[in-house]
């Protein structure tokens, strides 16, 4: 099957929103999705975008049963390591189930690896759920190291309520 | 009680920022892994599109406990993106020199970052902590942080530069 990987455009945000929800359903957390294509358009296509996105597109002849030609995406941004400098973080990677096993996921990862090396990034980081064996196997086969297992790193969060409370604390 | 002020880092602070980065790395016995130079910090933090932002804690000359150093703490952060909730503030590094601990400086830095996060339209602050660093984990949990690795099963992965080069050649 032919496909192309290209930079997302503002008009792709509805398709990306759809796929974000599909991925959230797979990750068993659909109720945590709070933003829509409007925020994606505002935050990804301004002068200083908060994220970047590549999409995988198939020709019209190979569209999905619902009529979609945008069948995968990778959402990423740049981060900074105080030890190494510029890095790239892959926030989301997703290919619609009917379009898997065709090299699209591999091409999306290769594309982001290319962006990372062109931008002189020292490494690519991302997070995977511990029960997601297909993804864990895929990434380990590409040379990924599990830093949570190896070095004990845990991801912590101050959510909206905790953040407001912190901001209001007296010195 | 020490008098100190928190302020946005200026280009001339890069010498002190690198010193504090190395001091923090030394504590975890990884000083030899710090590859960043003052030049990198200058280019990456104070150009047209900074990769990071930094606040520093400064004491007046008469309060210096370690000769010659008035910048005694820092926090480095940048903005990331969660496709479910939008903009986030990511806290990359956070350190106060041991001579200035237990004076409320760390708490004040965290409060400052929370205010910055909320003013910037962020819904959450994320960061990573090594599981073995119980003191830091307790510091954050006391203030309302949630350990997402424990609560939801997220594991952090890395693909280093050599693997990225190999992957980008696969495209």
């Amino acid at each position: 099957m032919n496909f192309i990987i290209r930079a997302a455009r503002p008009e792709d945000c509805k398709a990306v929103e759809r796929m974000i929800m599909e991925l959230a359903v797979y990750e068993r957390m659909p109720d945590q999705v709070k933003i829509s294509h409007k925020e994606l358009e505002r935050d990804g296509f301004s002068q200083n975008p908060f994220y970047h996105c590549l999409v995988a597109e198939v020709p019209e002849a190979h569209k999905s049963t619902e009529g979609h030609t945008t069948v995968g995406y990778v959402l990423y941004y740049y981060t900074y390591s105080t030890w190494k400098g510029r890095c790239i973080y892959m926030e989301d990677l997703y290919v619609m189930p009917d379009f898997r096993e065709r090299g699209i996921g591999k091409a999306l990862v290769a594309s982001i690896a290319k962006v990372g090396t062109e931008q002189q990034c020292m490494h690519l980081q991302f997070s995977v759920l511990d029960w997601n064996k297909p993804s864990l196997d895929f990434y380990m086969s590409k040379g990924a190291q599990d830093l949570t297992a190896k070095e004990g790193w845990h991801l912590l969060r101050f959510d909206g309520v905790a953040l407001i409370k912190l901001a209001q604390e007296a010195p | 009680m020490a008098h100190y002020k928190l302020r946005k880092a200026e280009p001339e602070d890069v010498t002190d920022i690198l010193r504090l980065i190395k001091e923090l790395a030394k504590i975890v016995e990884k000083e030899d892994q710090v590859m960043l130079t003052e030049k990198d910090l200058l280019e990456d933090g104070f150009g047209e599109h900074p990769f990071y932002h930094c606040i520093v804690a400064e004491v007046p000359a008469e309060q210096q406990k370690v000769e010659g150093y008035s910048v005694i703490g820092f926090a480095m952060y940048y903005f990331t993106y969660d496709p479910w909730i939008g903009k986030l503030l990511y806290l990359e590094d956070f350190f106060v020199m041991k001579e200035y601990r237990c004076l409320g400086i760390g708490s004040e830095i965290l409060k400052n970052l929370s205010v910055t996060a909320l003013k910037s339209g962020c819904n959450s602050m994320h960061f990573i902590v090594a599981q073995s660093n119980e003191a830091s984990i307790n510091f954050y949990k006391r203030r309302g942080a949630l350990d997402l690795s424990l609560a939801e099963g997220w594991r952090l992965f890395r693909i280093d530069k050599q693997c990225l080069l190999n992957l980008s050649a696969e495209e």
Side-chain angles (χ1 to χ4, degrees), chain A residues 34 82-83 126 130 146 152 156, chain B residues 35 84 93 131 153 155 157:
Chain A
K34 307 291 182 202
T82 46
W83 294 357
F126 51 96
D130 56 13
D146 182 339
L156 271 72
Chain B
M35 304 300 179
W84 297 354
D93 253 10
Q131 192 179 12
R155 280 152 70 162
F157 281 77

Side-chain angles (χ1 to χ4, degrees), chain B:
Chain B
M1 167 127 180
H3 291 290
Y4 65 91
K5 67 172 183 181
L6 296 185
R7 59 170 176 81
K8 206 170 142 192
E10 301 293 331
E12 43 274 18
D13 291 318
V14 294
T15 306
D16 283 306
I17 294 170
L18 187 58
R19 170 179 58 83
L20 293 170
I21 286 170
K22 287 184 175 173
E23 213 171 298
L24 177 52
K26 199 171 173 184
I27 290 171
V28 295
E29 294 169 4
K30 305 259 187 193
E31 201 181 350
D32 58 325
Q33 289 199 29
V34 177
M35 304 300 179
L36 269 192
T37 63
E38 287 180 23
K39 186 168 173 282
D40 293 325
L41 283 169
L42 205 55
E43 274 175 20
D44 296 337
F46 299 93
E48 203 186 323
H49 296 291
F51 278 81
Y52 71 88
H53 305 279
C54 193
I55 55 172
V56 295
E58 190 176 41
V59 294
E62 62 271 19
Q63 300 262 349
Q64 286 175 16
K65 294 186 187 189
V66 182
E67 196 178 315
Y69 297 144
S70 57
V71 171
I72 52 83
F74 82 107
M76 181 186 279
Y77 66 96
Y78 39 82
F79 296 100
T80 62
Y81 202 77
D82 184 319
W84 297 354
I85 56 174
K87 287 181 267 187
L88 305 178
L89 185 146
Y90 189 89
L91 176 55
E92 175 63 34
D93 253 10
F94 175 18
F95 179 71
V96 174
M97 286 170 70
K98 66 178 189 313
E99 294 85 356
Y100 294 89
R101 302 231 178 108
C102 302
L103 295 170
I105 298 177
S107 295
E108 192 60 21
I109 289 177
L110 206 54
K111 180 187 167 184
N112 183 293
L113 291 170
S114 306
V115 171
T116 299
L118 291 166
K119 278 187 180 166
S120 308
C122 296
N123 293 301
S124 211
M125 184 193 306
H126 281 202
F127 47 99
I128 55 172
V129 186
Q131 192 179 12
S132 57
N133 189 348
E134 284 181 29
S136 290
I137 292 188
N138 290 336
F139 173 86
Y140 294 122
K141 279 187 168 175
R142 272 200 304 273
R143 287 157 176 80
L146 175 66
D147 185 331
L148 294 178
S149 292
L150 284 180
E152 295 177 3
W154 291 103
R155 280 152 70 162
L156 180 65
F157 281 77
R158 174 187 299 158
I159 294 181
D160 68 22
K161 193 167 182 180
Q162 188 53 56
C163 286
L164 282 184
L165 285 163
N166 296 341
L167 278 171
S168 58
E170 279 182 20
E171 196 189 19

